[in-house]
Amino acid sequence: DAGVIQSPRHEVTEMGQEVTLRCKPISGHDYLFWYRQTMMRGLELLIYFNNNVPIDDSGMPEDRFSAKMPNASFSTLKIQPSEPRDSAVYFCASSATGTGGEKLFFGSGTQLSVL
Amino acid sequence: GQQLNQSPQSMFIQEGEDVSMNCTSSSIFNTWLWYKQEPGEGPVLLIALYKAGELTSNGRLTAQFGITRKDSFLNISASIPSDVGIYFCAGQGSGGYQKVTFGTGTKLQVIP
């Protein structure tokens, strides 16, 4: 069974450009999470969805960040406009209520560099 | 907000040695989890703990849910080179679905 799939693995962009990160959760999982990892702040939860509905977006840093989950098998995290301080590794994770919603399965991440 | 502090921040050990690390919280958690992250990958779940005082093993790894519910411990016995990585604790509160909060991480390096 495929795990959580993220794309792209690496993204280099210039300040001011729009960035879109993509995630395909594990089939059958009803929770989806977006985390950001930096040396300074560690793993921070940005937003999570349950059954495609955003539940808590209190971790989204600014209005420049937005996330959508149009269906159970796809989610995007968009940054517009991007800034150098957005450089980080962005992880998507999913979990299933029936088998322990607290057991998160992570993708391999997207390394974002904003120049 | 909730904070999870892990110690030590990093450690170098000799292959074959045992390792201990811990995690403390300013809040009570109902679930404690331990993850391992290898370079270039996302964290992978190692052990989940659900009850104060619980002791759970996964191969050479043993984790404990502290009785105060504000701490947890992870031990690795007879370390091997592939144990290298960053170990994260994570906690989840109670009352419906509560988001999982991650600790600051312990970076482990094993010298062959």
Side-chain angles (χ1 to χ4, degrees):
Chain A
D1 191 18
V4 175
I5 299 172
Q6 291 187 246
S7 64
R9 283 298 307 267
H10 303 274
E11 176 82 33
V12 180
T13 191
E14 291 189 343
M15 184 172 66
Q17 296 296 307
E18 178 179 295
V19 174
T20 299
L21 311 181
R22 296 173 175 79
C23 175
K24 177 179 167 54
I26 293 173
S27 177
H29 281 195
D30 54 343
Y31 281 93
L32 183 138
F33 308 82
W34 283 100
Y35 280 86
R36 177 171 68 176
Q37 185 175 37
T38 60
M39 288 291 290
M40 291 296 293
R41 300 173 71 93
L43 270 165
E44 302 174 275
L45 177 64
L46 300 178
I47 184 172
Y48 77 91
F49 296 81
N50 179 224
N51 292 321
N52 314 339
V53 176
I55 302 299
D56 185 343
D57 65 354
S58 58
M60 296 284 262
E62 296 170 34
D63 290 346
R64 299 184 295 105
F65 285 69
S66 62
K68 292 183 179 177
M69 191 164 186
N71 58 61
S73 58
F74 184 66
S75 177
T76 59
L77 178 68
K78 190 176 289 189
I79 308 172
Q80 165 65 17
S82 58
E83 296 183 3
R85 61 192 165 123
D86 300 331
S87 298
V89 182
Y90 290 80
F91 287 104
C92 176
S94 68
S95 68
T97 304
T99 55
E102 71 285 353
K103 293 179 181 175
L104 274 58
F105 292 81
F106 283 81
S108 297
T110 295
Q111 172 86 57
L112 174 65
S113 298
V114 183
L115 307 176
Chain B
Q2 295 169 333
Q3 287 190 330
L4 294 182
N5 294 310
Q6 287 186 244
S7 64
Q9 271 191 307
S10 65
M11 51 197 315
F12 283 84
I13 60 165
Q14 204 75 36
E15 182 177 356
E17 287 183 350
D18 296 345
V19 176
S20 290
M21 58 189 79
N22 67 56
C23 183
T24 57
S25 168
S26 55
S27 307
I28 287 173
F29 286 117
N30 275 14
T31 301
W32 282 96
L33 308 127
W34 283 91
Y35 284 80
K36 178 188 177 188
Q37 184 178 25
E38 296 185 5
E41 297 298 329
V44 173
L45 180 66
L46 299 172
I47 292 178
L49 302 154
Y50 298 99
K51 209 167 154 184
E54 179 182 350
L55 193 70
T56 296
S57 293
N58 178 5
R60 293 178 296 105
L61 277 61
T62 301
Q64 183 161 25
F65 191 138
I67 56 172
T68 66
R69 294 165 65 196
K70 288 187 176 183
D71 55 9
S72 180
F73 309 89
L74 177 70
N75 295 312
I76 305 172
S77 62
S79 59
I80 58 178
S82 61
D83 291 332
V84 163
I86 304 176
Y87 291 80
F88 290 98
C89 63
Q92 186 188 41
S94 63
Y97 184 84
Q98 295 290 321
K99 58 190 179 185
V100 174
T101 301
F102 280 80
T104 49
T106 292
K107 186 173 184 178
L108 176 64
Q109 309 216 45
V110 179
I111 304 164

